[in-house]
Amino acid sequence: MDVPPAATSESWESPFKKTKGVCLSSLPAAMGRLTWGHHVILEPGLPGWRELQPALPMPICAAGVAMTQSTESDDTRDSTDSARAILDSILISIARVHGIVGAAAVDSTGRTMPPVNVDFFPVYEDTRHKPHRFVTDNATYDRHTGTITLFPSRSMDGPHAKIWRSPFIHAHEIAHHAIKFLSDENPDPSTEEALADAIAFLATGGNPALIQELPGFGVDRDPTMPWFSDGTSKASWTGTGRGWRDAHRDGAAKAFRILRELPDADHQTKLRLVMAKFLSREI
């Protein structure tokens, strides 16, 4: 994540906001470094983001549970237990798609895909505005550190809370991890987004509902749909230029074409075929 997404929300919420501490029930094998509590600010007159609070390693619960029970109120303990359950469910989802994508990567390369790091709900605060603005409702993958970042939501109860809970989002970011593993060369942005969408779709069972329920995704990012929501054909789409929005739209069109050209087969076989086509530079 060389440059974080734009800070556009005037508030942020996460499962960790009201907890004094959080810990893992266990550490899945697919996970590398897991962190939380990261706080970064952008200040007037300064050229870039400054770290206010470094990311903290997330501990295993063995000692943390006892400490929570003896020092926290019932309300705080309830929020901590809820945060731990949400954390565990996210890790299970990420580990599951890491296993599916990793199995295809082993078949394609003979090598084991490395664990992925995850930074949970960092606060990216832009203080140049009044009120301050925050990065929310997004997820990113940093090729340099091998880290998925799950940003907070603008509301824990609204539709945008689905972003960091979504198996498709987890699979999309794991797909970026796999693309880095498969090749040291960076594909052009639209091709990488196309591969990430196609791999994520296949790794989550080819379920369009997981994509269409996400705010801002809908039929535009559903690789089974031949048209964008504005009626433009994905089959004939030729691209719009540079910028992340264009890369995602261009990638969505390419993902549709990639999947359309695959033979009839089970999802795992198609996943291996997509990776093989990428390695042979057919994509």
Side-chain angles (χ1 to χ4, degrees), residues 22-27 58-65:
V22 68
C23 57
L24 301 167
S25 296
S26 61
L27 183 64
M58 199 167 286
I60 302 297
C61 288
V65 172

Side-chain angles (χ1 to χ4, degrees), residues 7-281:
T8 57
S9 299
E10 294 183 358
S11 63
W12 66 274
E13 296 288 340
S14 90
F16 301 164
K17 192 171 187 179
K18 297 179 181 178
T19 63
K20 293 183 178 179
V22 68
C23 57
L24 301 167
S25 296
S26 61
L27 183 64
M31 298 297 113
R33 183 180 65 255
L34 303 181
T35 53
W36 74 298
H38 202 186
H39 192 164
V40 184
I41 62 172
L42 190 60
E43 299 171 291
L46 295 183
W49 296 90
R50 179 174 68 86
E51 189 171 70
L52 192 65
Q53 167 67 50
L56 303 172
M58 199 167 286
I60 302 297
C61 288
V65 172
M67 178 185 70
T68 297
Q69 291 175 343
S70 61
T71 64
E72 294 181 355
S73 68
D74 288 343
D75 288 345
T76 303
R77 188 172 352 16
D78 287 345
S79 66
T80 301
D81 290 342
S82 175
R84 188 180 303 124
I86 291 171
L87 175 62
D88 286 344
S89 70
I90 292 172
L91 288 178
I92 288 169
S93 174
I94 294 175
R96 179 178 178 276
V97 294
H98 186 286
I100 293 169
V101 175
V106 167
D107 290 341
S108 301
T109 66
R111 297 180 292 124
T112 301
M113 191 168 76
V116 67
N117 305 318
V118 185
D119 190 24
F120 287 93
F121 311 122
V123 177
Y124 275 69
E125 182 177 2
D126 187 344
T127 66
R128 300 172 303 172
H129 303 272
K130 292 184 179 182
H132 294 181
R133 295 180 184 173
F134 301 89
V135 177
T136 63
D137 312 309
N138 215 321
T140 60
Y141 176 74
D142 189 329
R143 292 180 64 93
H144 302 291
T145 63
T147 301
I148 294 172
T149 299
L150 299 176
F151 287 96
S153 173
R154 70 189 69 176
S155 169
M156 286 286 287
D157 301 320
H160 289 84
K162 293 178 180 177
I163 293 291
W164 48 260
R165 291 178 182 266
S166 167
F168 178 81
I169 295 297
H170 302 156
H172 179 93
E173 302 308 331
I174 285 291
H176 284 296
H177 187 59
I179 292 164
K180 173 193 172 186
F181 168 70
L182 291 170
S183 175
D184 292 332
E185 298 180 12
N186 291 350
D188 69 84
S190 64
T191 297
E192 176 150 354
E193 292 304 328
L195 286 164
D197 276 0
I199 290 171
F201 177 75
L202 296 170
T204 51
N207 184 358
L210 294 178
I211 304 169
Q212 294 204 19
E213 71 177 3
L214 295 172
F217 282 62
V219 299
D220 286 349
R221 294 286 290 277
D222 178 354
T224 68
M225 297 298 292
W227 299 282
F228 290 108
S229 57
D230 62 7
T232 304
S233 169
K234 292 179 182 178
S236 59
W237 182 255
T238 57
T240 59
R242 298 181 179 179
W244 75 265
R245 292 184 183 277
D246 294 331
H248 283 80
R249 184 176 174 94
D250 296 351
K254 287 185 179 181
F256 167 75
R257 296 195 292 267
I258 288 169
L259 294 181
R260 182 186 60 177
E261 294 169 2
L262 294 177
D264 187 23
D266 62 82
H267 293 125
Q268 196 67 18
T269 299
K270 289 183 177 181
L271 197 51
R272 291 195 298 269
L273 286 171
V274 169
M275 290 185 181
K277 282 177 175 286
F278 173 58
L279 288 170
S280 65
R281 301 179 183 271

